[in-house]
Amino acid sequence: MQIDVKNLRLEYADTVALDGLTLSLPSGGIHGLLGRNGSGKTSLLSILAGFRKQTSGEVLVNGEPVFENARIVRDIALIRESGDTVEGSEKVSEALRYADYLRPNWDADYAGVLLEKFEISAKSKLDSLSRGKQSAVGVMLGLASRAPLTMFDETYLGMDAPSRYLFYDEILQEYMSHPGRTFLLSTHLIDEVSRIFNRVTIIDRGRTLINEDIGTLLARGAALTGPAERVRELTMARRVIGERALGGTKSVMVYDDLDDALRTRARASGVTLEPLDLQDLFVYLTGPTGDGR
Amino acid sequence: MFDDSRPIYRQIAEQIKQDIVSGTLHEEEQVMSTNQYASFYRINPATAQKAFQELVDEGVLYKKRGIGMFVSPGAQASLLAVRRDRFFDEVVVPMIDEARTIGMPIADVLARIRLYCGEDGG
C-alpha cells in the first residue's frame, strides 16, 4: 500500500512529537524506519495505523485518509513491542481467534507454522510467556495477518538472536512470495536487518531527514581518510556529516554524490575512500554533531 | 559473508564471475534465481536483482523470458581476457613496488618464480 504523509503534526500537552513530517513510501517492499529515541517513530506508526488522530496534516494510505476509516484500517496491521491485541491473561489461541475475526487475509495455517518455528504453544497464556516469546507472538500475528500494510514497531524486544534472524527470514520470504505486501519496520538493530530493506526512512525530531532507496543511500555515504590537508581539499564542497583525527591523519565522513572524478582525485592524493554502512550513516546523521541537528 | 568495503550487489556479481572463471558455473548453465540468492544471503531481492542486471549489461549473463538467467556463451573466455588484461597492473606492478619498498632484488624474485614454476616456466 502506498503511503503519503504531508506536513504531519502531532502535539501532546506540552511536546511536539511530529513537526511537519512529510514522507512517501511506495507500495510493495520492506522499508526501514529509523530514528533516535523520541524522534517520533511510534507516533508516526500509530497515526498510520489509525490508532491516533493527528493534530494537523495529511495521512493517506492508497489515497485514502486512515483515521476512522474501517475499510482501510483492516488492511493495516501495526504490531507494537509485543502482541498486545488481547489481554495478557488470555491465551495465545484467543489472540489467534481475534486476528481471524479482525483480518480479512488471515492465514491460520501460516500462523500455526510460525508458532511451531518460534516454539510457542497456543495454549500458553500471554503473560506467562517470556518477553522474547511475547514479541514472537507479535511477529506471528503481523506476518500471518497478510495485511497489505504490516508495520512492526520495534517488535524484537527480548528476542534472542536466532529468533530475530528467523523473524527477518520470514519477512523476506513473505515479501518474495507476496511482492505487493508493504512492510514498515522500526528498529534500533540497524546492522543486522539493513540488508533486507528496499528503502530507508530516517526521522529526527519529528521530521523526515532521509527517505531513499537503500542502494542510493549507501552509495552516498563515505569516509575519506588520509593526510589532513588532502582530505580537507577533497571534502571542502561536500556535505560533511562527521570528522575524526589521529595525528596528521584525518577521516571525514560525507553524505553526498560521490562521482568517479572524486574517487580518482582521492586515489591520486593518497586518500582512501570507504563506504559507510547504514548504522554509521545513521549515527553521523542523527548524532550530537550530526547534520540533522 | 561480505566485506564492508564494497556494495553487496557488486560482491555478488564478482562471486558469480569468479564461479564462471573457475568453471563452477558453466556456459549456458542456469544461475540461481534472484529469490534464491536473496534467501541464501539474507538480502533484499532488489539487491540480488541489481547484481544480475549488472552482469546482463556486461554480457556475462542473459535472460530467458519466464525461465531465468543463464551464463552467456563465451562468458568464461571474455572474463579471462579481462583478468589477463588487468594482471600486470593489479598483480605484477604492486609486487614489484613492494619488492622495491623492502629492498628485495628483482633477480631474487625472478629466481623464486622460476623455482616455483619449475625450470620450464610452466
Side-chain angles (χ1 to χ4, degrees), chain A residues 29-279:
Chain A
I30 307 171
H31 306 313
L33 178 64
L34 313 180
R36 299 186 65 186
N37 296 324
S39 58
K41 299 187 298 293
T42 298
S43 298
L44 173 63
L45 294 174
S46 302
I47 292 172
L48 282 172
F51 289 2
R52 183 182 281 282
K53 194 177 192 314
Q54 67 268 37
T55 309
S56 63
E58 192 178 64
V59 179
L60 301 176
V61 173
N62 272 5
E64 292 190 45
V66 176
F67 192 72
E68 290 181 343
N69 182 346
R71 197 159 49 91
I72 202 134
V73 162
R74 65 184 185 190
D75 283 339
I76 303 175
L78 169 59
I79 305 297
R80 291 191 278 202
E81 291 171 8
S82 54
D84 56 357
T85 53
V86 295
E87 294 293 322
S89 56
E90 303 265 24
K91 289 178 177 172
V92 173
S93 55
E94 273 307 300
L96 295 173
R97 238 160 46 89
Y98 185 63
D100 191 9
Y101 161 77
L102 200 67
R103 299 293 171 195
N105 301 328
W106 175 253
D107 187 331
D109 293 340
Y110 183 37
V113 169
L114 289 171
L115 284 179
E116 210 162 289
K117 286 187 177 177
F118 284 110
E119 298 172 7
I120 295 166
S121 159
K123 292 182 207 139
S124 314
K125 285 186 175 172
L126 281 166
D127 55 13
S128 74
L129 295 171
S130 67
R131 187 65 203 268
K133 294 283 186 197
Q134 287 182 21
S135 292
V137 170
V139 166
M140 176 273 297
L141 291 172
L143 287 168
S145 74
R146 291 260 154 83
L149 173 58
T150 306
M151 302 181 284
F152 292 101
D153 188 8
E154 291 183 42
T155 315
Y156 53 75
L157 297 176
M159 279 169 77
D160 55 23
S163 303
R164 295 199 303 273
Y165 276 70
L166 180 58
F167 173 31
Y168 307 147
D169 281 346
E170 289 297 329
I171 288 193
L172 197 53
Q173 292 309 320
E174 260 305 284
Y175 169 54
M176 290 192 289
S177 52
H178 302 83
R181 256 186 112 170
T182 309
F183 291 97
L184 186 54
L185 269 77
S186 88
T187 183
H188 289 301
L189 305 179
I190 301 171
D191 265 349
E192 62 181 38
V193 70
S194 64
R195 283 177 185 157
I196 70 166
F197 292 151
N198 292 74
R199 204 175 175 82
V200 171
T201 302
I202 300 178
I203 66 173
D204 196 46
R205 297 181 175 186
R207 288 166 167 268
T208 304
L209 194 60
I210 301 281
N211 177 28
E212 285 282 3
D213 169 82
I214 189 151
T216 311
L217 177 60
L218 293 176
R220 290 171 64 89
L224 286 90
T225 307
E229 187 54 25
R230 298 283 91 75
V231 171
R232 200 186 63 78
E233 284 165 14
L234 284 166
T235 55
M236 216 152 40
R238 307 277 164 175
R239 183 172 166 189
V240 172
I241 55 174
E243 288 191 16
R244 282 164 177 282
L246 179 67
T249 302
K250 198 170 180 186
S251 261
V252 170
M253 277 51 86
V254 297
Y255 182 75
D256 212 331
D257 289 323
L258 304 168
D259 42 77
D260 288 340
L262 177 73
R263 290 175 193 282
T264 311
R265 279 173 56 206
R267 206 174 307 129
S269 49
V271 171
T272 61
L273 198 148
E274 285 173 310
L276 294 172
D277 64 26
L278 186 59
Q279 178 145 314

